[in-house]
Amino acid sequence: MDDLVIQVKDFRKTYGGFKAVNGISFEVHQGEIFGLLGPNGAGKTTTLESLEGLRQADSGSLRILGIDPARQPNRLRDLIGVQLQSSALPANMTVSEAMQFFCAYHRVRPREDLLERFGLGEKKKKQFRTLSTGQQRRLALSLAIAHDPRLILLDEPTAGLDVPARVELHELMRQLQSSGTTIILATHDMAEAEKMSNRVAILLKGKIAATGTPTQLTASGDGLIKISVASESSCLASNGDGIPGVRRHHFEDGYSLFYSQDPGPSVSYLLDYLKAHHDRLVDLRVERPSLEERFLEITHTNPTVGG
Amino acid sequence: MTAYIHHLTYDFYNGLRDRSLLLMNYLFPLALYLMMGAFMGGINPTFLETMIPAMIVIAVMTSTLLGMPNPIVSSREAGVFRSFKINGVPATSILSIPVLSSLLHIVVVSAVIALTAVPLFRARLPVHWGYFILIELLTIFAMAAMGMLIGVISSNGRSTILISQLFFVPSMMLGGMLTPTSMLPAVMRKIAWILPASHAMNAWRALAFDLPASSNPFWSMLILLAGGLIAFGMAILLFQWDNHNQQRRRSPFLAVFAMVPYILAVILLG
């Protein structure tokens, strides 16, 4: 396909006897935000670093815009922007020097506007070692996008960022996406992945345990919708059996929780039940499972993936 | 080229900004120069004949052998080189720029020493300035390449200190800076040829100061050049971008090839 930006086929990487990545395949198309999710040690960073050309695959193939990152890293440098999970700059390099330094190597004019946008305008003369973790990550982000790359690889980009900076980053990601930039987002933050990604892949022990859009993934579990009910006398606390569509239920923190395959009749039944028992409704919520819940479900039901 | 100049400019200023580099590039060699000038002239008057090159060799050694390896190791450990790699900074820039910026720092220190040693300590000035400068450039190149190679092969900061001291301490004792190598016992004089400092002092004495040499000074210059080229080549060959991806790492013991010209000198020179 013309708009194919990343193509990974049966990629494997082993460290000593440990299979960090054990035969994964996926494709990412232009303008997509693709989330790579997984617990620590799942293989996210190894996959990203191999795409960046920092590591070489043991077998399988990786291509970015048709380029093998391990064999032709120099052809990739101006096409990708990278924010490493463990990135660092020389301790005594100032913010302004860093921007000039990396822009010079990418042969573009320094993007001082990005420093302003990420709240580093007043830190231009500060040395890297004196910046807070959040400021260091914001600088790394500014440097990653300063040369207008076609693909951006972000490894835990919001770790250490405060809420305004996080919102700013998400807004920027949307803008970049709308201009056709492709983004790979490796994160532990499920809410962020669900909000930002067009598609996600959940990595577990070096294998892809699930992939699809966030909506597809959340719908592909046990398919149960969560109905949370709080009432004045909690008359539903021990009376969940026989409710239409409800597969399981329990009581937690003042809420009766029902997991239903058919939420319409279930809610209708619950409201009638409250009325019949002269109990007053305090709160009612109907929620599809979040990506985080689906993620936890996958990690619990696939403990031996890749093992 | 613009990127290279940006990088070199940053690296030069970093040599002034970083306290430990400032110490190695300027404070330690200049303090030692003042101290040696004050005391050594009285103890050993012949010291003043070659005081200027001797103090420059010490400045070169502190800036290169002691100052250069540690930033290489710490940058690799901290992931700075990974950032450089993904942004297209070539390994040749990472390795050549500290050599050039060290050269600039040493030239400044050398100028201070050359301009003040006569009025302050009545040291002897070189007779042939062309040779003096050429030998200084060769000495800086040979020792900077050696310092770079030590940084490249050292797995941590402790090893850099150990390996650097293996050159620094014997150089101070046998390199001909404090006493001419001709005053050393025959065995020690032969062993001293394994040190770049001995060749630098031998070449300087004969070609820049018209003083007796222990061996052919042109051989010394050739050995410095060959040693520098091999050490720099080995540094490029053995360079690692990070500490985590070492499966294809070549053996650091290959670095001993950089010593081949000096070992040949021990075997062949008198």
Side-chain angles (χ1 to χ4, degrees):
Chain A
M1 280 178 76
D2 284 341
D3 69 343
L4 194 61
V5 174
I6 292 179
Q7 188 175 42
V8 176
K9 282 185 186 169
D10 197 27
F11 164 51
R12 290 166 200 273
K13 180 75 184 173
T14 305
Y15 301 116
F18 175 67
K19 291 177 181 173
V21 181
N22 190 13
I24 65 168
S25 302
F26 62 90
E27 291 181 348
V28 182
H29 298 272
Q30 188 181 343
E32 270 193 307
I33 297 180
F34 186 82
L36 269 181
L37 312 180
N40 289 335
K44 302 187 299 292
T45 297
T46 297
T47 304
L48 279 190
E49 291 188 346
S50 300
L51 287 169
E52 291 152 5
L54 292 175
R55 298 180 189 278
Q56 199 161 0
D58 293 339
S59 65
S61 79
L62 299 100
R63 294 285 182 277
I64 293 182
L65 298 159
I67 298 166
D68 182 338
R71 290 179 188 278
Q72 301 164 292
N74 293 336
R75 284 186 64 198
L76 265 191
R77 295 298 161 232
D78 293 332
L79 300 173
I80 66 169
V82 178
Q83 188 214 21
L84 294 166
Q85 187 181 21
S86 56
S87 63
L89 295 176
N92 298 309
M93 186 177 262
T94 66
V95 170
S96 194
E97 281 173 341
M99 181 55 81
Q100 287 170 8
F101 183 95
F102 287 108
C103 285
Y105 272 107
H106 285 296
R107 299 176 300 281
V108 296
R109 293 171 67 83
R111 294 285 307 276
E112 301 284 333
D113 58 307
L114 287 173
L115 298 179
E116 299 288 344
R117 179 167 189 175
F118 280 101
L120 295 167
E122 292 177 2
K123 304 282 178 187
K124 285 180 191 171
K125 302 285 180 200
K126 293 281 181 191
Q127 294 178 10
F128 184 72
R129 65 186 167 86
T130 66
L131 300 177
S132 67
T133 307
Q135 288 166 342
Q136 289 182 351
R137 295 195 77 83
R138 279 185 270 157
L139 176 59
L141 273 169
S142 309
L143 299 175
I145 62 173
H147 57 289
D148 291 328
R150 288 179 63 185
L151 168 68
I152 298 172
L153 300 123
L154 304 174
D155 199 354
E156 305 290 350
T158 50
L161 292 189
D162 57 17
V163 175
R166 194 176 288 230
V167 170
E168 179 66 33
L169 172 67
H170 289 165
E171 193 182 311
L172 178 75
M173 286 169 70
R174 289 282 185 223
Q175 280 179 16
L176 290 167
Q177 184 188 26
S178 66
S179 63
T181 307
T182 309
I183 298 172
I184 302 290
L185 172 67
T187 183
H188 283 114
D189 187 335
M190 296 296 144
E192 177 177 63
E194 188 169 6
K195 179 182 166 192
M196 299 304 301
S197 307
N198 301 107
R199 287 190 304 132
V200 297
I202 296 178
L203 284 174
L204 275 182
K205 297 186 179 176
K207 284 198 166 185
I208 293 181
T211 185
T213 66
T215 310
Q216 284 170 341
L217 280 188
T218 51
S220 66
D222 57 16
L224 300 177
I225 305 292
K226 184 165 82 173
I227 303 165
S228 311
V229 184
S231 61
E232 274 185 354
S233 54
S234 301
C235 68
L236 286 164
S238 56
N239 292 298
D241 296 332
I243 301 172
V246 170
R247 290 287 172 268
R248 53 193 164 88
H249 63 92
H250 65 275
F251 187 78
E252 184 181 296
D253 296 334
Y255 280 84
S256 300
L257 304 176
F258 303 92
Y259 295 88
S260 171
Q261 278 187 323
D262 198 3
S266 302
V267 170
S268 183
Y269 178 92
L270 290 167
L271 293 175
D272 289 344
Y273 188 93
L274 290 174
K275 195 173 180 182
H277 289 78
H278 307 288
D279 195 359
R280 199 173 77 82
L281 183 68
V282 175
D283 192 12
L284 171 69
R285 298 177 197 182
V286 181
E287 300 162 301
R288 68 178 172 83
S290 66
L291 189 60
E292 182 166 341
E293 286 165 319
R294 179 68 183 125
F295 175 81
L296 290 172
E297 188 185 323
I298 290 169
T299 52
H300 285 135
T301 54
N302 295 276
T304 57
V305 170
Chain B
M1 197 62 195
T2 313
Y4 195 86
I5 291 166
H6 261 292
H7 195 157
L8 177 60
T9 308
Y10 161 73
D11 206 68
F12 178 76
Y13 282 120
N14 191 46
L16 303 171
R17 220 182 267 166
D18 184 296
R19 284 180 189 169
S20 60
L21 290 180
L22 183 70
L23 180 73
M24 294 301 177
N25 287 332
Y26 293 93
L27 303 181
F28 180 72
L30 288 175
L32 199 64
Y33 155 67
L34 293 173
M35 208 167 70
M36 300 277 265
F39 298 111
M40 280 299 286
I43 298 167
N44 173 19
T46 60
F47 170 75
L48 295 176
E49 288 187 336
T50 54
M51 180 189 178
I52 292 174
M55 296 317 301
I56 289 174
V57 169
I58 292 172
V60 174
M61 286 198 300
T62 54
S63 179
T64 57
L65 295 177
L66 301 185
M68 279 173 65
N70 222 23
I72 298 289
V73 173
S74 57
S75 294
R76 189 176 60 230
E77 283 177 344
V80 172
F81 292 158
R82 288 154 60 86
S83 298
F84 281 8
K85 186 179 186 184
I86 55 175
N87 284 288
V89 181
T92 46
S93 294
I94 293 172
L95 295 172
S96 64
I97 282 169
V99 174
L100 288 178
S101 65
S102 287
L103 184 145
L104 295 173
H105 292 302
I106 294 163
V107 165
V108 173
V109 172
S110 302
V112 171
I113 292 170
L115 290 171
T116 59
V118 177
L120 286 180
F121 308 115
R122 295 183 189 168
R124 182 173 166 181
L125 277 175
V127 182
H128 306 289
W129 281 96
Y131 275 123
F132 181 83
I133 292 166
L134 181 63
I135 295 162
E136 174 165 2
L137 291 177
L138 279 175
T139 306
I140 294 169
F141 174 62
M143 291 199 190
M146 189 75 80
M148 189 55 73
L149 184 58
I150 292 170
V152 165
I153 63 165
S154 298
S155 52
N156 54 53
R158 287 188 300 278
S159 351
T160 64
I161 294 167
L162 192 69
I163 302 171
S164 298
Q165 293 296 350
L166 277 176
F167 288 92
F168 187 80
V169 175
S171 294
M172 290 294 282
M173 294 190 294
L174 308 175
M177 282 95 76
L178 305 182
T179 51
T181 45
S182 57
M183 291 174 70
L184 293 171
V187 177
M188 299 309 281
R189 200 163 55 227
K190 207 155 176 56
I191 290 171
W193 290 128
I194 204 154
L195 303 166
S198 306
H199 293 284
M201 288 304 293
N202 184 57
W204 254 318
R205 283 178 66 86
L207 297 173
F209 287 83
D210 283 342
L211 290 168
S214 302
S215 181
N216 186 333
F218 293 105
W219 276 116
S220 286
M221 288 172 68
L222 190 66
I223 286 160
L224 287 173
L225 178 65
L229 287 172
I230 297 173
F232 195 73
M234 296 310 294
I236 292 174
L237 188 74
L238 299 173
F239 179 73
Q240 289 287 306
W241 292 96
D242 63 45
N243 281 348
H244 310 296
N245 199 17
Q246 304 192 344
Q247 283 177 324
R248 287 169 181 78
R249 184 173 187 176
R250 293 181 178 91
S251 169
F253 291 107
L254 287 171
V256 294
F257 278 111
M259 294 306 295
V260 167
Y262 304 104
I263 293 167
L264 287 175
V266 172
I267 296 166
L268 301 174
L269 298 183

